[in-house]
Amino acid sequence: MKTTTNIKSGSLSEARREFLKKSGSLAVMSMFGVAFFTSCSTDDTEPNNGGTNNPPTSGNGISVTADAVTVDLAVATSLAAAGGWALVTAAKVLIVNMGNNSFNALTSVCTHSQCDRNWTFTNNVFTCTCHGSRFNTNGSVVNGPATQALRSYPATVSNNVLTVDLG
């Protein structure tokens, strides 16, 4: 009995190789989810600006010193209404309007792995999008991986100017 081995060879076109590379990546990401590949990364240097839930990144009406963040509420419209919020990256501070001229200010440095720029705010919950840790408006952990609350700062309003004491 004779055994015949057929060997076929050839090459894929550049377009076909590129298609297979992209579709393979898409299949893997679909199976695991994009968060799987970006979780616990410490090289995130820019805020997640892809969604509509992110606060403005410019400092309109917001000034920062070593000891305080000052917000002119007439200019900083993101904080004008209850539920409005801002991420002040220069001071690493999250500010939320609680209503009735009351504001909470928290550190934006996540207690899980110190991400400080990737935040969303929905249903009175801050979410660190680096790893999915969630915190209420007082800074307490809603769910981890973080296990410690965010530090809070005193916030006062006088003459339509909000001052966050960083001292």
Side-chain angles (χ1 to χ4, degrees), residues 70-129:
T70 306
V71 181
D72 181 344
L73 296 171
V75 178
T77 57
S78 64
L79 289 167
W85 72 291
L87 168 62
V88 183
T89 56
K92 297 183 180 179
V93 172
L94 295 164
I95 303 171
V96 61
N97 183 334
M98 301 301 297
N100 297 322
N101 220 25
S102 175
F103 293 82
N104 284 357
L106 307 166
T107 181
S108 68
V109 179
C110 181
T111 57
H112 170 62
S113 72
Q114 290 66 54
C115 286
D116 66 358
R117 297 173 180 241
N118 298 315
W119 292 93
T120 61
F121 182 73
T122 307
N123 298 324
N124 289 322
V125 174
F126 285 105
T127 302
C128 175
T129 59

Side-chain angles (χ1 to χ4, degrees), residues 10-135:
S11 63
L12 296 174
S13 69
E14 183 66 31
R16 182 70 176 156
R17 278 189 295 236
E18 197 59 35
F19 169 78
L20 290 173
K21 186 188 310 180
K22 288 180 181 177
S23 62
S25 297
L26 181 61
V28 170
M29 283 191 214
S30 296
M31 188 166 72
F32 290 109
V34 175
F36 176 81
F37 295 99
T38 60
S39 66
C40 296
S41 172
T42 59
D43 60 353
D44 290 333
T45 59
E46 293 298 319
N48 177 7
N49 289 326
T52 59
N53 191 26
N54 290 316
T57 56
S58 64
N60 288 340
I62 301 173
S63 62
V64 177
T65 66
D67 299 326
V69 175
T70 306
V71 181
D72 181 344
L73 296 171
V75 178
T77 57
S78 64
L79 289 167
W85 72 291
L87 168 62
V88 183
T89 56
K92 297 183 180 179
V93 172
L94 295 164
I95 303 171
V96 61
N97 183 334
M98 301 301 297
N100 297 322
N101 220 25
S102 175
F103 293 82
N104 284 357
L106 307 166
T107 181
S108 68
V109 179
C110 181
T111 57
H112 170 62
S113 72
Q114 290 66 54
C115 286
D116 66 358
R117 297 173 180 241
N118 298 315
W119 292 93
T120 61
F121 182 73
T122 307
N123 298 324
N124 289 322
V125 174
F126 285 105
T127 302
C128 175
T129 59
C130 288
H131 311 100
S133 292
R134 298 175 67 214
F135 303 86

